[in-house]
Amino acid sequence: MTAAAPEPKANMGQPVPRYDAVAKVTGRATYGADMPLDNPAYAFLVTSAIAKGRINSFDLDDAKRVRGVIDIVTHENAPKLKESKLFSNGGYAGTTIQPLKSAEIAHDGQIIAVVIAESYEAAREAANRVKVSYSAATPSASFDSPGTTKAAAKGQNAQFKEDPKVGDFAKAFDEAEVKVEASYETPTQHHNPMELFSTSCAWMGDTLVIYEPSQYVYGLKNGVAEQLGIDADKVRVVNPYVGGGFGSRGSMTPRTAIIAGIAKRLNRPIKLVPTRDQGFTIATYRAETRHEIKLGASRDGKLVALRHEGAEMSSRADPYCVGGTKTTTRLYACSNVDSLVSIVRADRNTPGFMRSPPEVPYLFALESAMDELAVKLNMDPVELRRVNDTTNEPIGGKPYTSRSLMACFDEAAKAFGWAQRSVAPRSMSDGDWLIGYGCAATCYPTQMAPSAARVRLQRDGRTRVEIAGHEIGTGAYTVIAQTASERLGVPLEKVSVFMGDSDLPPAPVAGGSNSTASTCSAVMMVCDQIRQRLFKAVMPNESLTDKAKETVGIGQTPANQAARSDRPLDLEKAFDALGVGVVEEYGEWKPEGAPLDSFKAMHSGHARLVGGSAMKDKIAYAFGAEFVEVRVNRFTHEIRCPRLVGAFAAGRIMNPRTARSQLMGGLIWGMSSALLEATEIDQRTARYVNDNLADYLVPVNADVPDVEVILLSEQDDHINPVGAKGLGELANVGTNAAICNAVFHATGQRIRRLPVRLENIEV
Amino acid sequence: MRPFSFQRATDPDMALQALSAAAAANDPLTQATAQPLAGGTTLIDLMKLDVMRPAAILDINPLALSWSAIEPGAETLRLGALAKMSDVAAHDEIQRNYPVIANSLKLAASAQLRNMATLGGNVMQRTRCSYFRDVSYENCNKRNPGSGCAAMDGVNRMHAVLGTSDQCIATYPGDFAQALIALDATVEVTGKSGTRSMPFAELHKAPGNTPEIETTLQPGELISAFLISGRWPRSVYLKARDRQSYEFALSSAAVALDVQDGTIRDARVALGGVATVPWRAREAEAQLKGQKFDDGLAQRAADAAFADARGRRHNSFKIALGKRVVVRALQQAVTMEI
C-alpha cells in the first residue's frame, strides 16, 4: 500500500488501480473530438461582443472569401429548432436562451453565427473575418447593477421547494446571549474542464450520432431529439471518456442541436471545437452569491437561533438557483431556524451546476459564521461543532442515517496538529510569514437515482457490464468493475465495463454525487439476478429466500464462501445444468422513495434524484472536517496554503485509491475557490473579462505542497444496497471557510468576500 | 489565426534582409507584416487570439548559433539575445554575481516556457491587458489607435499605476527587463546597416499618445545582445503575485546595491508589475545614495518611487503594495551575505 493506495479499513473495497489508467496515460482513451468521422466539415462559433441588444446586420463578404468556407449560419438561415424547458422545470436544457433564433442578444458571448468550412483553420479564419453591426443596450451585469430584479426562489424554480424554518427565530435571536450577524459573498466561477465543449454530429440516414463530453447521455439524447423534433430512439450519444465535467456537462447546451441541424442540412458530419473563452459563455457557471447570516447562541455555545438568507444571480430567462439553505438549516442542532433564498436576474447567460452547487457558497457563509461565533465565545471551533452536533436534523426532526462529523473533526485535528495551535490571532509566525490555522465542516447530501444495467457472464467467468454511466475522471469504470467482480465472484481482470453510450441501459446524470451509489446498486442487483438463475439451475427445488441467495456461494469471496456457505456453487456445473454458454440479465433498480414515474423518467432522460434532506423519514449526508494552514506575508500580503488536511466519512468506500484522489482534488479545488478562482465581470458591459486560463487562476503544483486525505470507516445500512455515500462533491465544500478562518487566525482580519486576495489584507 | 508564410533564417544577414524587405517604415513594429519568431511564447499566443496578424513568420532560432552565448567577462557581462531564459537563470556566474538577473528569470513563467523563451523575446513580450488581448473589444488604443481604452474604467486590477497616460494603462508584464534597467544594461541592436547600441532604458516607450508604439526598434532590426557593466552580487529580485509560480507580478522590485562600510555608494531600483514599461525608480535611488541604511530610509525611498503613481478603481492597492515590496527588497539586499 502507498499514500495513493491507502490500506482499506473496515467497509472499504480494495484500492485497485484505475480500470482506464493505461488507456489514459498512453493516449488510447478517445474523447469526443478524437472520434474519427468520415469526411467531416469543421464548425467555428462566432459569439456576441455585447451582452444586450440586437444584431442589425452581418457583413459576411470577407469571411466567405476565405478558401474552404462552406456556409455561414446566422439567425437568418439557421435550422429551426424546438424549444426545450429548463432541466429544473422538467426539461433538458441548461438554458432556455436559444441562440440563432432571432437578432436578439441576451448575454455576452452568445452564439450568433456558425462558420462551416473544410478545415478547422479555414473556419477559424473566416469566423475572425465576420463583421457584425449591433444595436447595443445597456446591460445589467450583477447584484449592484441598475435594472436587476429580485424575487424569492420559491415558486419560480420547481426544484426549490421550501425555505426551511422551525420555531421562533426572531424571538430566540432577540433573546440570545451571544450573537453573530454577518454578510458573505462568493464570486462567479467557471468549471474550465480540460476538455473543451466540443460536439461532433454525424447522420446515418435519419439516425444521429453525437460525440460530445456529457455527464448525462440519456438527457442529451432526449433533449436533442426534442429540439430536432425526432424520435429519441434515432439519437445516440457516445462519450466513453469525459475530460472533466464538474457539472458543466450535466444539462444540454444549445450548441448540440444547432450542430446536429446544420449537419443534417449539409448531409455531412460536423465537428465543433469551441475555444476556451467561448466555454465561458456557451455553457454554464457558478453564479455569484450573497448571504446574510444570523446566529444566536447561549454562553456555552449551544445554537438557539439561526437564520440564513441567500441571494443568487441568474439570467433574465431562467430561474436557476442552488438554494443551499436546505443543508445549512439542518447541519447543527438549533430549535429556531429561518431562511430565505432569492434569485436576482441580470443580462447574463444562465448559470448551472458546478461541483457541490449549493454547499460551496452556502457552507462558506455558515462555516465562516460558526468560526466568528467560536471567537466571540472564546471557544475552540472544534468544540463549538461538538456542542451543536446532532443525530436528528432540526427542521423536521428526521434522524441522520449516519453521521461521523465529530469523528472526522477529531481524526483530522489529530493529523493536522490542531492542539499545537496558539489560540490568539497573529500569535504564530515564521520569518516574513504570519501563520494561521483554520478549520470547517463539510457535508454533502447522499443521493441516488434509478439506474438500469445489463450484465453478461460467460462460463469461463468473463463478464461484460453495460450501463450508460459516465467516466468523468472519478473512477466510475473501476468501481463498477469491482462491484461486478465481487458480486459474481469472478476475477477483476475478467470484467469489462462499457459506459458513456446512450444505446446502453440508462443511468442517471453524473451529478449530485449519485453515480457510484446508483450505478453500483443497479449492477449489484443485476449480478444477483444472474446468481439467482444459476442457483435455480443447480438447486431447482430450493426456495429463493434472501438467506439462500447469500449462502449459495457465488458472489462471495473465496474466504467468505467457506465461511458462509456449506454448498459453494461451481460455475461450470451451474452453466452445464442451465445448458447455456452465456447468462445475460438486464435490470432496473430504483432507490427507496423514488417517485412512481421513476423508470419512465429514467428512459426519457429525466433523473429523479432522491436522498439528502428530501427523504420522508430520514436524512442522509456524508460528512468531513477540513483543517488548513495559511501563511500571510507581512510585506507583500501574499496568501499561501502550504497544508490541507481533510478527514471524510462516506459510508462504504468502494475504492480507497479513487476515493482519495477525488477528495484530494476536492481539497485543492476548495483552496482554489477561496484564494484564486473568480470570473471578473466588466460592470459596464456585463462581459467576462478573464475568460482564459492565463487570467482565470487555478493552483499550480507549487501552491499545494502538502495535501492529506483521511478516510474514515463508516457503515450505513439505510441508504442504498451498496452502502455508499457520494463523495465526489464532499471535499471542495467548507475549504473556503477554513481558509478564511485561518486568515483570521493569522492576521486578526475577517474576510467575508471571496476570493481572498492580497489587497484585502491589511496587516 | 490567419494564414501566414513561414521561413527559417539561415544566418543573421538573411534574417535582417528578410525582415527589412517586408518592413514598411510607417507601421508600428508590432503590426509589421513580417514578424521574427524566437521562443514564440508571445507571438503565437497573440496570433491565435487574432491580435497579431503577420503575413510572414521568420524563424530566427537558427541564429542562436551566433547570438546565444552567455559571456561573463571581467568588465562586462554579455548575454546573447537568443539565450534561453532557463540557461541564463541556471548559469553559475549569473547566480553568483547577478542574482537579480537569475531570480528575475527563475521567477518568471513556468519551467516549460523558460526552456523555450529567449532573452530578446522576453523583453519584447507584450502586455497581458485582457482588453488588448480580446479583439472583440473595439476600444483599445494599442490595438486600434484612437479607439479609446476599455481598461481605464473596466476591470483593471492588473494594470499599471506608473508611466500611464490617458490613452493606455496596460502593464509591461516582464520580470527580466526590470533587472536589465536596474543594472543600466546596454542593448545591442542589429539591422541591415549594422549594429548599434543604446541604453536598455531607451528600448521601451511609455504609451503617451501613441500606445501602439511600444519600442524604439526600427523596422528590420533585431536585438542581438544585452551588456551589463560591473558585477552586482548584492542584488535582489522580489516578486509579489497571486500564486506561487507561473504568474505575472502584481508588484516586483529589482534592487542592486553597492554598500561600503554601511554606506550605500550606489543603488539601483526598478519596478515591475506596476508600470507601463520597465521602470527605473531614480527618485528612490537618489534617496538611498550616500546614506546609511535603516528602515526609515527604505520607506522614504519607496515613497519616492511611487510619488507620481496614479491608481484606478481596482489597482490602487498596487501603490501601497509596491512600496512594501521595495522596502522588503532593499532590506533583503542590505542583509544578504556576499
Side-chain angles (χ1 to χ4, degrees):
Chain A
M1 297 294 153
T2 62
E7 184 83 48
K9 299 173 184 163
N11 199 29
M12 292 188 189
Q14 290 299 311
V16 302
R18 282 173 195 270
Y19 178 89
D20 44 350
V22 173
K24 281 186 173 167
V25 299
T26 55
R28 272 195 285 115
T30 44
Y31 293 80
D34 298 334
M35 292 294 185
L37 299 171
D38 186 13
N39 187 30
Y42 295 84
F44 199 94
L45 302 178
V46 180
T47 54
S48 68
I50 62 166
K52 188 182 183 184
R54 53 183 294 119
I55 297 163
N56 297 329
S57 61
F58 287 97
D59 176 355
L60 304 178
D61 293 347
D62 199 19
K64 281 183 172 163
R65 271 196 292 271
V66 174
R67 196 171 152 184
V69 169
I70 298 166
D71 197 6
I72 300 176
V73 179
T74 70
H75 66 275
E76 287 160 355
N77 61 348
K80 295 279 173 273
L81 299 169
K82 296 190 168 55
E83 285 172 21
S84 181
K85 281 190 284 189
L86 196 68
F87 69 88
S88 59
N89 287 333
Y92 302 100
T95 177
T96 64
I97 301 166
Q98 183 61 44
L100 301 185
K101 215 175 98 180
S102 73
E104 299 296 319
I105 304 287
H107 63 83
D108 168 38
Q110 181 178 317
I111 298 170
I112 55 171
V114 185
V115 178
I116 310 291
E118 297 290 345
S119 70
Y120 174 80
E121 290 74 17
R124 177 173 61 181
E125 188 195 350
N128 286 339
R129 293 177 186 273
V130 169
K131 295 182 194 76
V132 190
S133 152
Y134 300 102
S135 290
T138 304
S140 307
S142 186
F143 285 121
D144 297 324
S145 309
T148 58
T149 60
K150 181 175 179 179
K154 195 179 162 181
Q156 341 177 29
N157 180 318
Q159 279 184 351
F160 186 85
K161 296 198 170 66
E162 50 147 9
D163 286 305
K165 34 181 88 57
V166 72
D168 185 344
F169 165 80
K171 182 163 176 288
F173 184 71
D174 196 43
E175 292 168 0
E177 290 171 338
V178 182
K179 295 177 197 185
V180 167
E181 275 185 76
S183 307
Y184 303 91
E185 224 172 300
T186 64
T188 318
Q189 295 180 333
H190 277 79
H191 316 76
N192 280 309
M194 284 305 291
E195 186 181 7
L196 294 166
F197 290 93
S198 71
T199 294
S200 295
C201 287
W203 290 84
M204 301 267 278
D206 62 352
T207 303
L208 169 67
V209 182
I210 302 167
Y211 302 105
E212 174 179 314
S214 166
Q215 291 173 254
Y216 195 16
V217 291
Y218 265 73
L220 186 59
K221 159 197 165 107
N222 282 278
V224 171
E226 181 181 77
Q227 284 209 272
L228 296 173
I230 62 174
D231 193 315
D233 286 345
K234 299 288 186 193
V235 180
R236 180 180 176 197
V237 178
V238 179
N239 64 342
Y241 300 100
V242 179
F246 317 116
S248 65
R249 326 214 200 253
S251 46
M252 177 175 66
T253 71
R255 74 185 193 276
T256 315
I258 291 171
I259 296 300
I262 299 172
K264 176 88 178 164
R265 183 195 282 170
L266 282 181
N267 194 24
R268 192 168 165 187
I270 293 184
K271 181 190 279 197
L272 165 72
V273 182
T275 60
R276 173 65 58 190
D277 63 308
Q278 288 170 346
F280 276 71
T281 58
I282 65 165
T284 64
Y285 61 98
R286 193 197 296 284
E288 57 272 37
T289 67
R290 287 181 172 178
H291 307 261
E292 305 284 336
I293 297 267
K294 289 182 183 178
L295 297 179
S298 57
R299 286 254 164 252
D300 59 3
K302 289 210 169 82
L303 287 171
V304 295
L306 181 156
R307 186 170 196 281
H308 192 163
E309 183 172 344
E312 308 178 22
M313 284 305 308
S314 192
S315 63
R316 296 278 183 206
D318 296 313
Y320 180 82
C321 78
V322 299
T325 48
K326 59 181 174 282
T327 294
T328 54
T329 57
R330 290 178 170 93
L331 184 53
Y332 296 114
C334 181
S335 27
N336 301 287
V337 178
D338 191 24
S339 68
L340 177 67
V341 172
S342 302
I343 300 175
V344 179
R345 310 284 193 101
D347 298 297
R348 298 271 297 279
N349 53 326
T350 303
F353 313 113
M354 183 160 151
R355 199 173 187 180
S356 338
E359 284 72 22
V360 164
Y362 280 75
L363 256 77
F364 168 63
L366 178 64
E367 287 298 287
S368 294
M370 286 294 279
D371 199 72
E372 298 202 42
L373 180 61
V375 170
K376 267 203 168 167
L377 290 162
N378 197 19
M379 195 172 179
D380 184 333
V382 177
E383 296 314 306
L384 179 63
R385 268 77 174 197
R386 198 183 314 278
V387 165
N388 291 290
D389 194 23
T390 182
T391 54
N392 293 61
E393 55 87 19
I395 305 297
K398 295 180 281 190
Y400 279 96
T401 56
S402 59
R403 178 172 159 122
S404 307
L405 177 65
M406 290 321 298
C408 289
F409 263 108
D410 291 338
E411 284 277 331
K414 206 171 96 191
F416 181 81
W418 183 249
Q420 277 86 60
R421 177 183 70 130
S422 151
V423 173
R426 293 184 67 95
S427 61
M428 294 168 69
S429 64
D430 176 11
D432 282 3
W433 298 87
L434 301 170
I435 297 176
Y437 288 178
C439 66
T442 172
C443 66
Y444 194 79
T446 298
Q447 304 188 99
M448 288 76 58
S451 178
R454 187 183 298 116
V455 179
R456 174 199 291 179
L457 176 66
Q458 294 179 219
R459 62 180 291 145
D460 62 2
R462 274 189 293 160
T463 304
R464 178 187 172 95
V465 182
E466 297 182 349
I467 181 164
H470 310 83
E471 178 56 74
I472 55 176
T474 50
Y477 280 114
T478 314
V479 297
I480 287 174
Q482 283 179 284
T483 300
S485 158
E486 284 168 23
R487 209 64 190 171
L488 293 174
V490 299
L492 188 63
E493 56 274 17
K494 290 203 170 186
V495 180
S496 309
V497 182
F498 294 83
M499 293 202 303
D501 183 340
S502 67
D503 274 3
L504 301 175
V509 60
S513 291
N514 87 89
S515 277
T516 298
S518 308
T519 59
C520 290
S521 288
V523 169
M524 202 167 120
M525 187 194 80
V526 177
C527 288
D528 285 352
Q529 290 170 205
I530 291 181
R531 291 166 57 196
Q532 285 192 26
R533 274 180 67 185
L534 296 171
F535 174 78
K536 244 187 197 162
V538 285
M539 289 170 280
N541 301 323
E542 304 274 338
S543 73
L544 286 173
T545 63
D546 285 340
K547 192 170 180 302
K549 275 191 281 174
E550 285 308 315
T551 56
V552 76
I554 290 186
Q556 307 298 335
T557 59
N560 283 351
Q561 277 181 16
R564 298 177 63 180
S565 170
D566 50 354
R567 287 184 300 174
L569 187 74
D570 183 305
L571 205 59
E572 302 246 338
K573 235 162 87 181
F575 271 93
D576 285 344
L578 209 54
V580 297
V582 165
V583 176
E584 183 170 294
E585 284 287 333
Y586 167 88
E588 298 183 342
W589 174 83
K590 68 174 176 180
E592 183 191 330
L596 279 177
D597 74 340
S598 285
F599 284 137
K600 185 175 163 238
M602 174 179 81
H603 286 278
S604 62
H606 299 287
R608 298 276 188 262
L609 264 65
V610 300
S613 60
M615 289 184 291
K616 229 169 87 183
D617 52 357
K618 57 190 173 187
I619 176 167
Y621 272 74
F623 290 93
E626 301 184 358
F627 288 73
V628 302
E629 177 183 327
V630 156
R631 292 183 167 223
V632 180
N633 189 290
R634 294 175 201 273
F635 295 93
T636 62
H637 299 182
E638 289 168 295
I639 308 149
R640 301 288 184 255
C641 179
R643 213 151 57 89
L644 294 144
V645 176
F648 307 95
R652 179 171 174 79
I653 302 298
M654 308 296 286
N655 179 329
R657 180 198 300 264
T658 54
R660 171 184 174 272
S661 178
Q662 276 277 77
L663 294 163
M664 182 172 64
L667 281 165
I668 294 168
W669 195 350
M671 181 274 278
S672 175
S673 125
L675 293 178
L676 298 172
E677 285 186 53
T679 308
E680 306 286 355
I681 303 164
D682 188 312
Q683 295 296 318
R684 304 162 301 178
T685 58
R687 303 192 63 194
Y688 300 133
V689 175
N690 57 336
D691 53 355
N692 60 78
L693 284 178
D695 296 328
Y696 183 97
L697 298 190
V698 296
V700 295
N701 278 322
D703 291 305
V704 276
D706 189 355
V707 188
E708 184 180 353
V709 171
I710 301 163
L711 296 165
L712 264 66
S713 180
E714 184 185 71
Q715 177 138 0
D716 191 327
D717 298 326
H718 310 286
I719 41 178
N720 51 61
V722 174
K725 298 175 174 178
L727 53 72
E729 295 170 87
L730 182 58
N732 64 322
V733 176
T735 330
N736 44 15
I739 297 262
C740 287
N741 300 342
V743 167
F744 174 79
H745 184 229
T747 65
Q749 196 188 336
R750 181 65 63 177
I751 308 283
R752 300 186 180 88
R753 182 171 184 221
L754 297 180
V756 193
R757 286 178 165 156
L758 59 78
E759 61 264 38
N760 307 129
I761 305 284
E762 297 153 9
V763 179
Chain B
M1 192 178 276
R2 305 189 179 208
F4 56 89
S5 69
F6 181 87
Q7 197 179 5
R8 181 160 289 157
T10 47
D11 57 66
D13 285 346
M14 178 268 181
L16 298 165
Q17 283 291 350
L19 285 175
S20 20
N26 295 332
D27 272 349
L29 202 63
T30 50
Q31 285 174 27
T33 48
Q35 293 288 337
L37 172 76
T41 59
T42 290
L43 178 63
I44 304 295
D45 211 16
L46 291 173
M47 286 169 68
K48 283 180 171 175
L49 294 169
D50 207 32
V51 172
M52 290 182 76
R53 302 166 182 180
I57 295 294
L58 181 71
D59 178 4
I60 59 169
N61 283 292
L63 275 51
L65 281 174
S66 34
W67 285 5
S68 68
I70 302 167
E71 296 167 291
E75 302 292 318
T76 302
L77 166 67
R78 184 188 163 93
L79 299 170
L82 288 177
K84 300 289 187 191
M85 291 172 73
S86 49
D87 290 337
V88 180
H91 196 282
D92 278 348
E93 286 199 54
I94 308 286
Q95 291 187 353
R96 195 164 48 243
N97 292 324
Y98 307 92
V100 65
I101 291 180
N103 288 328
S104 72
L105 292 166
K106 215 179 295 175
L107 295 175
S110 66
Q112 293 87 342
L113 287 166
R114 293 192 295 270
N115 286 339
M116 286 298 289
T118 63
L119 297 186
N122 181 263
V123 302
M124 294 295 284
Q125 73 177 310
R126 305 188 66 191
T127 184
R128 305 296 302 186
C129 172
S130 310
Y131 298 98
F132 166 74
R133 288 167 59 86
D134 185 342
V135 294
S136 73
Y137 289 91
E138 291 281 327
N139 40 347
C140 172
N141 286 326
K142 197 181 265 303
R143 228 180 333 101
N144 296 328
S147 62
C149 173
M152 203 67 76
D153 296 310
V155 176
N156 49 33
R157 177 173 182 262
M158 301 300 289
H159 286 73
V161 294
L162 289 166
T164 59
S165 71
D166 292 340
Q167 272 66 48
C168 186
I169 56 171
T171 306
Y172 172 78
D175 295 297
F176 173 54
Q178 271 59 258
L180 290 176
I181 202 167
L183 301 187
D184 258 343
T186 297
V187 58
E188 183 191 279
V189 172
T190 303
K192 208 174 55 167
S193 47
T195 292
R196 67 183 175 105
S197 290
M198 63 176 157
F200 180 76
E202 290 173 14
L203 178 64
H204 291 83
K205 290 191 69 166
N209 287 322
T210 52
E212 73 277 16
I213 299 171
E214 296 175 355
T215 68
T216 55
L217 282 191
Q218 295 303 306
E221 284 186 329
L222 286 170
I223 298 173
S224 41
F226 303 97
L227 296 103
I228 292 137
S229 306
R231 287 178 178 165
W232 295 89
R234 187 177 292 285
S235 64
V236 163
Y237 190 73
L238 181 64
K239 181 175 180 180
R241 47 183 163 171
D242 283 322
R243 65 182 171 193
Q244 185 64 20
S245 178
Y246 192 22
E247 174 56 351
F248 295 94
L250 287 166
S251 172
S252 70
V255 164
L257 298 177
D258 178 0
V259 182
Q260 303 275 324
D261 305 324
T263 300
I264 300 169
R265 289 177 21 151
D266 197 359
R268 306 292 180 80
V269 180
L271 309 176
V274 293
T276 54
V277 287
W279 193 262
R280 179 88 177 261
R282 290 190 186 274
E283 303 79 0
E285 295 172 1
Q287 292 284 330
L288 295 164
K289 275 180 205 166
Q291 305 293 312
K292 296 267 183 206
F293 186 83
D294 62 29
D295 289 350
L297 179 69
Q299 187 60 53
R300 288 195 296 280
D303 289 342
F306 284 89
D308 294 332
R310 284 195 308 171
R312 305 291 303 180
R313 182 159 178 204
H314 303 114
N315 69 354
S316 296
F317 74 93
K318 284 188 173 181
I319 299 172
L321 169 65
K323 290 180 186 180
R324 293 193 308 268
V325 167
V326 168
V327 168
R328 190 60 186 144
L330 286 169
Q331 290 170 342
Q332 286 180 353
V334 164
T335 53
M336 75 189 286
E337 302 207 353
I338 56 170

